[in-house]
Amino acid sequence: MKSPVLIGVSACLLGEQARYDGGHKHDRNITDTLGEYFSFVPICPEVGCGLAVPRETMRLEGNPQAPRLMTCRTRIDMTGQMLEYCATKLAELEYMDLGGFIFKERSPSCGLTPIPLDSGIIEMSAGLFAHELARHFPLMPLAEAEPLNDPRIRNNFIESVFLYRRKFDDQKNDTASLIGY
């Protein structure tokens, strides 16, 4: 029997109390509907990089091509800590054979679509972890949670994940046959 397809999901969307305020954003569309097709790997980059729950709010600031992750009240730059976590986590994820990832929108770490920077003018940047994951796995299907409430978008995401996994599995089989397995 084939093992289920794994997808990464922002941990708060699975009901984990990982958000800055100690809460979660459990999304039943993900756990109930998409849970029929996939197994989940919960990831919270902010907790993963060592931040507490609850924690001070953060935002992205500065250059959209190289934004800084800053705490709002104490003005501590968390960019280096987050990028170090990203590098370690992405290397780990290479061995997990993920088929896709679902992010929590409007997050300074997980927002996939550009979110406003606090730089005095309207500029946009994706969250740091989402940006690094998309750069590291450029073909992997990625989505934010809210748009997946639309059945058409959700079905396209499901199909994209299965096509991606099939292509990935075919490539692994081709490589194995070339080296005699």
Side-chain angles (χ1 to χ4, degrees):
M1 182 176 155
K2 274 192 151 183
S3 58
V5 173
L6 296 175
I7 61 171
V9 180
S10 294
C12 63
L13 295 170
L14 299 176
E16 291 189 19
Q17 295 179 311
R19 288 178 49 84
Y20 72 93
D21 60 3
H24 62 79
K25 288 289 185 177
H26 184 209
D27 187 323
R28 293 204 181 282
N29 180 48
I30 294 171
T31 56
D32 297 351
T33 305
L34 294 175
E36 293 180 28
Y37 301 95
F38 308 120
S39 291
F40 304 121
V41 176
I43 296 172
C44 177
E46 293 172 16
V47 171
C49 81
L51 301 178
V53 176
R55 61 185 163 273
E56 186 177 350
T57 58
M58 295 183 290
R59 66 179 172 230
L60 295 175
E61 297 182 359
N63 181 344
Q65 283 72 45
R68 309 302 299 173
L69 181 62
M70 302 294 294
T71 59
C72 292
R73 187 177 45 79
T74 57
R75 309 286 307 136
I76 297 171
D77 187 339
M78 304 302 295
T79 310
Q81 188 171 333
M82 179 60 74
L83 291 177
E84 186 177 311
Y85 167 79
C86 290
T88 301
K89 192 62 174 180
L90 294 174
E92 224 177 86
L93 293 177
E94 287 178 5
Y95 297 98
M96 295 188 79
D97 294 338
L98 290 183
F101 206 102
I102 301 172
F103 295 99
K104 174 65 183 108
E105 57 283 327
R106 295 181 298 278
S107 161
S109 60
C110 288
L112 181 60
T113 55
I115 57 175
L117 289 168
D118 187 41
S119 60
I121 57 173
I122 303 299
E123 296 183 88
M124 309 291 263
S125 180
L128 291 183
F129 180 73
H131 173 78
E132 292 299 308
L133 189 132
R135 194 170 58 84
H136 195 82
F137 299 103
L139 302 178
M140 181 183 288
L142 308 174
E144 288 185 319
E146 282 183 8
L148 293 176
N149 288 315
D150 179 323
R152 189 178 52 226
I153 293 171
R154 183 175 53 245
N155 290 338
N156 284 339
F157 178 73
I158 292 167
E159 184 176 333
S160 295
V161 169
F162 282 112
L163 289 171
Y164 176 77
R165 287 302 309 149
R166 181 186 312 160
K167 181 176 181 170
F168 186 78
D169 288 343
D170 288 348
Q171 288 174 345
K172 282 183 8 183
N173 291 336
D174 289 347
T175 301
S177 66
L178 286 174
I179 57 175
Y181 286 106

